[in-house]
Amino acid sequence: MDKWVYEFGDGRAEGSAEMRNLLGGKGANLAEMSSLGLPVPPGFTVTTEVCTYYYDNDKSFPALLTEQVETALATIAQLSGRRFGDDDNPLLMSVRSGARSSMPGMMDTVLNLGLNDKSVETIADQSGDARFAYDSYRRFIQMYSDVVMGLDHHAFEDILESFKHRAGYVLDTDLTADDWKNIVVEYKKLVENELETPFPQDPQDQLWGGIGAVFQSWMAPRAITYRAINNIPANWGTAVNVQSMVFGNMGEDSATGVAFTRNPSTGEKALYGEFLINAQGEDVVAGIRTPQNLTEAARIEAGSDEPSLEAKMPEAFAEFSKICDQLEAHYSDMQDLEFTIQEGKLWMLQTRSGKRTTKAALKIATDLAAEGLISKEEAVLRIDPAALDQLLHPTIDPAAKRNVIAKGLPASPGAASGEIVFTSEEAQDAKAQGRSVVLVRVETSPEDIHGMHAAEGILTARGGMTSHAAVVARGMGKPCVSGASGIRIDLRNETLSVGDKTYQRGDIITVDGTSGQVLEGEIAMLQPELSEDFATLMQWADAARTMAVRTNAETPADARMALSFGAEGIGLCRTEHMFFDGDRIMAMREMILAEDAAGRRAALDKLLPMQTADFTDLFDIMRGKPVTIRLLDPPLHEFLPQSESDMEDVAKALNLSIDKVRQRTRTLHEFNPMLGHRGCRLAVSYPEIADMQARAIFEAAVEAAQKTGAPVTPEIMVPLVSVKPEFDLIKGRIDAVAALVMKERDVEIKYQVGTMVELPRAALQAHRIAETAEFFSFGTNDLTQTTFGISRDDAASFLGPYAAQGLIEQDPFVSLDQDGVGELVRMGAERGRATRADIKLGICGEHGGDPASIIFCQSVGLDYVSCSPYRVPIARLAAAQAALMHRK
Ligand code: ADP
Ligand code: MG
Ligand code: MG
């Protein structure tokens, strides 16, 4: 209670890694590193509770805060021998925001806080390096004016650029002490002119200004939007970290850098990162100078002549690489680190679990398990199932001709082609129109997130491997080439030029984030191979999993694809999809347009051999794995011609009058087709359709079993059942056909007849239906429609505002509504099992491929989930995680 400030430094800390909620991610890990005895500049964290207090109390601070900050500053003074606010012996601080997890929109870090016209002189004298002192001061004025006082940094950059231009300088490091002194004068003038107030000279004012600005940024529009999208409550708040400065800009033996303990693109176990000599803070990520490689190995691979940290500062490097190993083992995960070296001495400024591509995530998880740092189960739990999608990204066909127009850094793997666009708005608009674009920017910032989302690929002219564009693209799994310094972007004329070639907005280019190449035009792509790590992890997942994973497939191609992704059967074969091809649709129309049962039977006789061949193929491909076939489901008018000219064609082909066709189409019209004459209702009116399908299934089962030697046990599924008698009626027809085929063929066929539970009444009456139904498959698409009374095809026009106003948490057609629809699923499962203990239970709606819904299915005790082929790996992993979580 009433403890608002947590100190860290000198091998001790009041906080720890577990206190992330109170201290934010950055603060908690700074405390942890300090407790581990690592070299962390001393500082303190103002807790997230202060942020909550601030907004609950009219933007004021709790009573004891000032006192606790004073105490913490006194501790630092004791440790460092310097005092914050003492112009004759100044202590400089950084002020850093830090939410529970790093969040776009939060205030950028302010460095060198505490500098003023007097203390800068003291620092120049004490360090004997006036250049360093004034370089630090100009950085401080720019950062503080920008992030705390809201004066755009471009104005400062313009001053610096024109100064460099006049003096004939190229790099910032060319500027002398006097140059920086002059710049500082100009900077202060700019602030005074623009803000009509002098730049604050009192360090106390600066500090509280900084702390307040961090809390203000919690309610910045960008932060609010981000929280809304990611379901982060506003009352989490952000912490503020105030830390004594260490200086990477104190000359040639000072540096600053960022590192990953393993390669975040490939997962390879090798220290990976970048640094800059004589630089501070965000110079590395800002892409102002091209950073150097950390290790010799990486330098050689990159073909760079700039020395690596390993070669340039071997002692600091050795200590750093030891700390990397220690932190990785301590957190048992790949770490993303920030460090600064001041006159040869290493300081640690940040550690956190590193963002990575899915490919890297798989390699790192399997490697960490092999190294004994985590268990196989933990490895399975470490991978985000939805992220497996990334593995399915195409790469450029090595045989394709490449017209390389520029080269940058291979910032995020995979390749993509699209029209050039220069703004995020354009990217979004194009995406909405179904066009593919490559977003081309000088560099990206958090405002570009939506544009990066909409684009197929990203290209930037500036920025390294750890630039904003690179980090965000890897997280999204989008191909990205960063730092392509050879390209020139002209925003006014909307052109991209390289050498004397110019490309317009709308021209097609390809970015290859695996090689760093930018290519002209669209290029042939290859589907990716799944890695060995993927296979290993999926094996571990399969071992942990208790639910089976099947696929929704009706074509041989889909079935084969699903099998290669590890599907263990077909959970839903939609037979209607088989009736649209070639001459089948005509036979189908003939059946629908027939006057009577005899006419229908004649048309069905034409469909029977085709349907039999389809099923034989599927059984053959699935080799004895279970196959659930659903009887014809959609309303018949879906098969009929819509346009006048189509109707004429049909009339001609079937030798009917056009009036007849028109009239029949009109009779079949329904006001609410989704609640109309469909599902088992078709079989009730036209039992000969169900007869034909049942015969096709049984004959195919016999054929396939004879051909492959693997016995086939078809599962026949009756759709849209609401009352038991309708199910019984149709089951009776199916049983009769089965008996007939067995007699004709003189074989025994094992089969099951079950139902799709997709109407609330079926779930409510599951105990009755289970008396005769041998399996249930929850059809959660229709069950969601009928439970909510929302038409899935019309929902888009009105569900948007529901989500925007927080009336629903998620689109119930994407992730199962567990409280409502899920309750019906649970009830159906329980009631079904009460009657028939061994009843087989599965799910075959879109939700069968949604990780959160899969966890729910586990909790209900379903036997399997079924999803589209591309989601099978996701479902296998999600089911494994569901089983592991359930066990805990
Ligand atoms: P971000 O969340 O954007 O990574 P940080 O708070 O980590 O922001 O700050 C960015 C950079 O500022 C750090 O990587 C580091 O280089 C520099 N920095 C922060 N605090 C200090 C400090 N106490 N001394 C020196 N540099 C610092
Ligand atoms: Mg930042
Ligand atoms: Mg950082």
Side-chain angles (χ1 to χ4, degrees):
M1 267 289 97
D2 286 356
K3 182 167 175 57
W4 309 106
V5 171
Y6 285 71
E7 300 179 13
F8 59 82
D10 196 34
R12 286 174 300 116
E14 294 181 317
S16 69
E18 279 74 55
M19 294 164 76
R20 168 180 280 269
N21 292 357
L22 185 65
L23 304 180
K26 200 177 284 166
N29 285 332
L30 282 169
E32 188 82 4
M33 284 200 289
S34 196
S35 296
L36 288 171
L38 302 182
V40 176
F44 58 89
T45 303
V46 178
T47 69
T48 56
E49 284 173 358
V50 177
C51 184
T52 314
Y53 181 101
Y54 179 79
Y55 281 106
D56 286 350
N57 293 276
D58 227 3
K59 300 196 178 176
S60 67
F61 292 124
L64 293 175
L65 183 64
T66 327
E67 195 182 310
Q68 292 180 12
V69 166
E70 295 288 321
T71 309
L73 285 170
T75 310
I76 301 171
Q78 218 159 31
L79 289 174
S80 64
R82 299 175 160 278
R83 291 221 344 250
F84 183 74
D86 180 349
D87 291 342
D88 299 322
N89 187 24
L91 172 66
L92 303 188
M93 310 297 291
S94 72
V95 174
R96 322 166 65 183
S97 62
R100 290 192 197 186
S101 55
S102 99
M103 214 181 98
M106 299 307 298
M107 193 192 85
D108 283 335
T109 298
V110 176
L111 303 179
N112 311 325
L113 191 131
L115 273 176
N116 57 27
D117 294 350
K118 258 176 107 179
S119 60
V120 70
E121 287 295 338
T122 316
I123 294 216
D125 287 346
Q126 286 179 347
S127 65
D129 186 351
R131 186 195 177 281
F132 151 70
Y134 280 93
D135 174 47
S136 302
Y137 195 23
R138 65 93 189 180
R139 287 172 187 272
F140 172 55
I141 296 173
Q142 172 173 336
M143 275 186 266
Y144 192 89
S145 304
D146 180 10
V147 305
V148 179
M149 309 203 298
L151 184 55
D152 194 86
H153 58 95
H154 291 300
F156 295 97
E157 277 151 21
D158 288 347
I159 291 177
L160 177 54
E161 282 310 310
S162 70
F163 185 95
K164 277 160 73 177
H165 184 76
R166 271 179 279 137
Y169 294 145
V170 179
L171 296 174
D172 291 1
T173 40
D174 296 337
L175 276 77
T176 64
D178 280 338
D179 292 334
W180 287 126
K181 231 184 234 184
N182 287 327
I183 295 271
V184 162
V185 172
E186 288 198 49
Y187 276 13
K188 285 197 300 181
K189 232 185 270 163
L190 174 74
V191 173
E192 241 187 293
N193 288 342
E194 291 291 320
L195 303 177
E196 290 170 2
T197 168
F199 186 80
Q201 292 289 314
D202 180 355
Q204 289 295 337
D205 290 348
Q206 296 170 358
L207 177 62
W208 289 100
I211 293 173
V214 172
F215 291 146
Q216 289 286 344
S217 72
W218 182 249
M219 287 298 173
R222 199 141 44 87
I224 292 175
T225 309
Y226 181 84
R227 285 200 294 276
I229 295 172
N230 294 283
N231 283 320
I232 296 174
N235 68 10
W236 277 12
T238 179
V240 185
N241 299 292
V242 180
Q243 187 177 29
S244 48
M245 282 299 298
V246 288
F247 300 97
N249 57 336
M250 275 190 128
E252 287 297 299
D253 57 354
S254 299
T256 184
V258 298
F260 291 88
T261 56
R262 300 182 189 224
N263 185 312
S265 287
T266 64
E268 189 203 349
K269 187 177 180 181
L271 188 58
Y272 175 92
E274 300 172 327
F275 77 105
L276 278 175
I277 288 181
N278 198 7
Q280 221 183 24
E282 308 225 305
D283 290 0
V284 179
V285 279
I288 293 163
R289 274 194 272 156
T290 300
Q292 297 160 235
N293 299 103
L294 281 187
T295 63
E296 268 301 280
R299 181 192 67 78
I300 292 164
E301 201 184 308
S304 157
D305 331 315
E306 296 294 318
S308 67
L309 186 71
E310 188 174 9
K312 178 97 182 171
M313 302 181 190
E315 271 167 40
F317 174 81
E319 187 187 0
F320 179 65
S321 99
K322 215 179 98 203
I323 288 174
C324 287
D325 290 344
Q326 185 187 349
L327 284 173
E328 193 182 82
H330 182 72
Y331 287 101
S332 53
D333 196 9
M334 185 263 264
Q335 296 294 296
D336 168 358
L337 312 138
E338 299 178 5
F339 65 93
T340 281
I341 296 168
Q342 176 179 333
E343 298 182 301
K345 164 137 182 63
L346 172 73
W347 293 95
M348 296 301 299
L349 296 174
Q350 190 172 331
T351 190
R352 61 177 167 203
S353 279
K355 287 207 170 39
R356 61 204 80 179
T357 63
T358 304
K359 185 180 169 198
L362 287 167
K363 174 145 180 66
I364 290 168
T366 51
D367 283 356
L368 287 176
E371 290 161 29
L373 281 174
I374 59 173
S375 66
K376 288 177 182 174
E377 286 77 19
E378 179 60 29
V380 166
L381 287 167
R382 288 265 174 107
I383 309 295
D384 172 13
L388 291 181
D389 245 359
Q390 273 188 32
L391 297 178
L392 309 169
H393 278 309
T395 47
I396 292 183
D397 183 348
K401 208 174 104 32
R402 287 175 181 238
N403 182 1
V404 180
I405 54 176
K407 186 128 181 19
L409 297 169
S412 178
S417 305
E419 295 171 30
I420 296 173
V421 295
F422 295 105
T423 67
S424 287
E425 286 62 42
E426 277 179 281
Q428 256 187 328
D429 292 349
K431 167 92 177 180
Q433 293 165 17
R435 282 153 47 214
S436 303
V437 299
V438 172
L439 178 63
V440 180
R441 308 279 289 160
V442 175
E443 59 198 339
T444 63
S445 71
E447 281 105 301
D448 289 316
I449 302 272
H450 60 285
M452 295 176 74
H453 240 299
E456 305 300 314
I458 294 125
L459 168 62
T460 68
R462 290 217 309 226
M465 293 292 287
T466 46
S467 64
H468 179 267
V471 171
V472 173
R474 280 199 294 272
M476 290 180 177
K478 299 252 167 177
C480 173
V481 173
S482 71
S485 47
I487 64 171
R488 281 191 321 279
I489 297 169
D490 180 344
L491 287 179
R492 192 156 315 131
N493 295 310
E494 302 193 304
T495 59
L496 159 71
S497 38
V498 199
D500 50 15
K501 266 207 112 151
T502 298
Y503 300 87
Q504 312 285 333
R505 180 174 68 119
D507 287 350
I508 307 247
I509 55 169
T510 298
V511 285
D512 181 5
T514 312
S515 69
Q517 290 175 343
V518 185
L519 309 113
E520 190 177 273
E522 196 169 338
I523 315 240
M525 305 268 178
L526 282 188
Q527 288 307 314
E529 297 270 328
L530 295 172
S531 70
E532 222 166 277
D533 305 310
F534 172 81
T536 306
L537 195 105
M538 289 314 255
Q539 228 173 352
W540 296 348
D542 289 345
R545 167 161 75 82
T546 57
M547 285 190 293
V549 174
R550 298 194 192 182
T551 190
N552 300 347
E554 37 277 334
T555 66
D558 277 0
R560 281 201 194 92
M561 165 96 72
L563 269 185
S564 76
F565 286 149
E568 295 163 301
I570 290 178
L572 176 61
C573 164
R574 306 173 181 89
T575 47
E576 57 271 16
H577 288 201
M578 299 167 152
F579 289 127
F580 283 101
D581 278 0
D583 43 357
R584 298 171 175 211
I585 183 71
M586 214 39 103
M588 190 66 184
R589 287 170 172 171
E590 184 184 337
M591 194 273 295
I592 297 168
L593 294 168
E595 297 278 352
D596 51 21
R600 273 192 295 278
R601 240 176 252 126
L604 285 165
D605 281 348
K606 292 186 195 164
L607 287 169
L608 176 65
M610 305 181 208
Q611 186 98 99
T612 309
D614 289 336
F615 294 146
T616 311
D617 263 4
L618 273 189
F619 290 144
D620 189 6
I621 293 167
M622 298 310 289
R623 299 276 149 154
K625 292 190 166 69
V627 176
T628 304
I629 297 171
R630 180 179 70 183
L631 299 183
L632 192 67
D633 182 50
L636 293 182
H637 73 86
E638 283 191 11
F639 297 96
L640 289 181
Q642 302 302 327
S643 74
E644 196 65 15
S645 75
D646 279 354
M647 285 196 209
E648 275 168 28
D649 290 349
V650 170
K652 207 177 295 159
L654 296 181
N655 212 2
L656 292 168
S657 76
I658 176 91
D659 280 344
K660 176 89 218 156
V661 176
R662 220 177 275 139
Q663 181 212 329
R664 186 79 181 122
T665 309
R666 222 176 296 129
T667 1
L668 284 173
H669 171 80
E670 291 181 302
F671 289 104
N672 290 309
M674 277 301 138
L675 300 174
H677 195 180
R678 54 167 290 219
C680 65
R681 297 160 200 169
L682 289 172
V684 170
S685 325
Y686 309 120
E688 51 282 353
I689 303 179
D691 288 353
M692 183 281 283
Q693 292 201 295
R695 176 169 279 276
I697 293 168
F698 293 125
E699 292 195 344
V702 176
E703 298 280 325
Q706 277 171 0
K707 202 167 138 201
T708 65
V712 177
T713 307
E715 299 169 358
I716 302 176
M717 181 150 76
V718 182
L720 216 74
V721 164
S722 51
V723 298
K724 177 171 179 280
E726 65 186 344
F727 175 76
D728 288 346
L729 174 81
I730 297 156
K731 182 170 188 298
R733 304 285 302 204
I734 296 168
D735 288 339
V737 174
L740 213 61
V741 175
M742 287 195 261
K743 198 158 151 239
E744 287 165 14
R745 296 286 195 124
D746 192 23
V747 285
E748 187 67 28
I749 306 171
K750 279 221 214 119
Y751 66 96
Q752 289 192 332
V753 184
T755 180
M756 196 134 159
V757 175
E758 51 188 332
L759 293 173
R761 194 179 193 286
L764 294 165
Q765 282 293 299
H767 50 295
R768 296 276 338 269
I769 296 171
E771 286 168 12
T772 41
E774 295 170 283
F775 65 86
F776 286 167
S777 177
F778 291 93
T780 47
N781 296 346
D782 265 315
L783 193 57
T784 301
Q785 294 201 99
T786 50
T787 302
F788 275 89
I790 286 179
S791 149
R792 184 156 55 125
D793 306 309
D794 302 313
S797 63
F798 55 85
L799 273 192
Y802 274 73
Q805 294 175 65
L807 304 180
I808 50 165
E809 270 175 32
Q810 258 165 328
D811 182 340
F813 294 105
V814 173
S815 199
L816 189 76
D817 158 49
Q818 300 183 9
D819 298 340
V821 181
E823 207 43 41
L824 285 168
V825 172
R826 187 184 298 280
M827 184 185 294
E830 279 166 8
R831 292 187 176 184
R833 263 193 304 251
T835 303
R836 188 187 288 267
D838 64 345
I839 190 166
K840 196 176 345 175
L841 300 172
I843 182 173
C844 61
E846 294 302 304
H847 306 102
D850 169 63
S853 310
I854 291 170
I855 292 170
F856 174 80
C857 292
Q858 177 87 31
S859 78
V860 176
L862 299 193
D863 299 300
Y864 70 88
V865 298
S866 187
C867 57
S868 64
Y870 270 96
R871 294 200 77 84
V872 166
I874 296 171
R876 283 163 72 195
L877 181 56
Q881 294 182 351
L884 290 170
M885 286 189 264
H886 203 66
R887 214 193 281 166
K888 275 185 184 163

